[in-house]
Amino acid sequence: MSIEQVPAAPGTKRWVCELCGWIYDPQEGDPDGGIPPGTPFEEIPDDWMCPVCGAMKADFRELGPDEDVLQG
Amino acid sequence: MIAGYDHFVTLAESLQWDEKALDLTADAAAWPRLDGSERARVLGLLAGFCIGENSVAAELGPFRDAAGDDASMRAAFQAQERDEQRHARFFDRVVTEVAGVPGADLATRLDFLRGRVGPELVELFEQRLPAVARRLAADRAGLASAVGLYHMVLEGVVLLAAQHALLDELDHLSQRLSGTYQGIELVLRDERWHIGFGSRVVQSAEAVGDEMAELLREGEKASAAWGDLIPPGAVEKAAQQHRRRLKAVNIKFW
């Protein structure tokens, strides 16, 4: 098993699923969900679903530049 | 990546709901107007949830204890325990007030409900999985495997497949059970953060990849315990989502 829990590159906008806590990082995309690495969140189709919990795109919230939900 | 434990504690607090506030009056009136096969299918699924949620709610103690001095993880387990207890009360309320299951107390009602599901399902929830979970959660080293079993397989595959099947069943009934439907949607909403939380625990642990693969196979096999109550494709769909979930949080076991 590998564990990757890395901070975002400076200036990268990330989005958190408000229902399960999964974080969308544009650098990684969601290849299994048909979203190639490098895809900005805004360009993801509206019918895409969170890979962890199945929530809709509308259930995601943009993280603020200083907001760190990874800790704790 | 997935959020830290503090995020889940805050999230859980914001998602609280009261199972007693749901209006089941119309559901109770509609229940006798369902035909016999509809009542049998819905009651079978509800019976499974009553047995399953009571078991899950009762078995979370060892998980919380295994969190040790990690106060954030411990608080997240406590928040989940509160949710699971509410789910158990909700399903008990539905079978009592809507389906008219007899019995003056929960133990009597569960005795009745055990007769509505296959013995495999009862063994799964009340014997086999709790025993494994208690053994795994007995020390911190086994916690990730126990969470992999409970949060990601039991909740993320076995119960999730049946929750979707029950919502689909309710969608196609001849009578609306709107209060019941609303409650199950709220249960599903809670389960989303439980699965996210479980993903975080497993992601943070040391190598358990082979065990995760074995647990998935176990979950798929265990899901068959629902028998004819859920359609054949529902388990496979939930298992596919489980595999995608593991990849999305960088748990490589394939």
Side-chain angles (χ1 to χ4, degrees):
Chain A
M1 186 178 74
S2 87
I3 302 165
E4 295 172 25
Q5 194 85 332
V6 293
T12 302
K13 289 198 295 185
R14 297 200 290 189
W15 298 68
V16 62
C17 174
E18 296 210 273
L19 297 182
C20 77
W22 184 72
I23 296 163
Y24 178 77
D25 184 337
Q27 291 182 322
E28 295 181 11
D30 174 28
D32 275 12
I35 310 299
T39 306
F41 187 80
E42 294 84 350
E43 293 180 15
I44 294 175
D46 289 340
D47 61 355
W48 170 82
M49 292 192 294
C50 172
V52 169
C53 75
M56 303 302 294
K57 181 183 175 185
D59 292 314
F60 278 71
R61 170 177 69 79
E62 184 179 348
L63 289 171
D66 298 323
E67 192 174 1
D68 184 6
V69 295
L70 295 175
Q71 298 304 311
Chain B
M1 279 173 290
I2 200 139
Y5 302 127
D6 290 343
H7 174 80
F8 294 111
V9 175
T10 305
L11 183 60
E13 197 58 43
S14 72
L15 297 177
Q16 290 302 299
W17 54 284
D18 181 359
E19 82 284 353
K20 296 187 294 297
L22 291 169
D23 185 357
L24 299 177
T25 312
D27 299 39
W31 183 262
R33 296 198 295 270
L34 296 172
D35 70 41
S37 64
E38 288 178 320
R39 282 196 297 269
R41 285 198 305 275
V42 174
L43 184 55
L45 285 164
L46 290 172
F49 283 113
C50 282
I51 294 163
E53 295 284 5
N54 272 288
S55 173
V56 170
E59 297 299 335
L60 275 174
F63 291 77
R64 189 189 58 235
D65 295 342
D69 56 4
D70 186 332
S72 296
M73 186 197 287
R74 193 179 181 86
F77 275 123
Q78 282 174 328
Q80 184 191 356
E81 197 169 13
R82 180 173 55 174
D83 282 0
E84 304 295 3
Q85 289 165 350
R86 181 174 53 247
H87 298 173
R89 292 194 302 271
F90 163 69
F91 282 110
D92 183 52
R93 210 187 140 208
V94 173
V95 297
T96 306
E97 297 179 26
V98 177
V101 166
D105 54 46
L106 176 64
T108 309
R109 290 190 289 277
L110 285 174
D111 275 344
F112 175 88
L113 292 167
R114 288 184 189 100
R116 296 290 175 151
V117 297
E120 299 87 358
L121 197 72
V122 177
E123 186 196 356
L124 169 68
F125 281 123
E126 296 190 340
Q127 294 175 35
R128 196 151 55 93
L129 292 177
V132 172
R134 278 196 296 272
R135 177 169 51 80
L136 290 174
D139 63 83
R140 183 67 185 265
L143 182 60
S145 296
V147 168
L149 174 68
Y150 249 83
H151 293 68
M152 306 193 74
V153 174
L154 184 55
E155 293 209 63
V157 180
V158 180
L159 287 174
L160 196 64
Q163 279 153 359
H164 285 295
L166 179 52
L167 285 176
D168 189 56
E169 186 72 39
L170 294 176
D171 269 334
H172 294 91
L173 290 178
S174 59
Q175 307 287 325
R176 291 286 297 159
L177 301 181
S178 53
T180 303
Y181 196 99
Q182 185 187 355
I184 294 166
E185 285 191 313
L186 290 167
V187 170
L188 257 175
R189 190 181 66 178
D190 292 339
E191 301 294 6
R192 292 178 195 275
W193 84 256
H194 299 171
I195 293 168
F197 167 47
S199 301
R200 173 64 191 235
V201 174
V202 173
Q203 187 188 47
S204 303
E206 293 303 318
V208 290
D210 290 344
E211 290 178 21
M212 289 303 298
E214 188 180 331
L215 288 171
L216 175 59
R217 286 193 293 274
E218 179 77 3
E220 289 176 285
K221 199 167 60 180
S223 296
W226 287 99
D228 296 337
L229 291 169
I230 61 175
V235 173
E236 180 49 32
K237 187 177 172 186
Q240 282 175 356
Q241 189 176 356
H242 175 76
R243 292 189 194 96
R244 188 178 167 213
R245 184 180 298 138
L246 294 182
K247 292 177 88 170
V249 294
N250 294 317
I251 299 168
K252 293 188 173 70
F253 71 97
W254 57 96

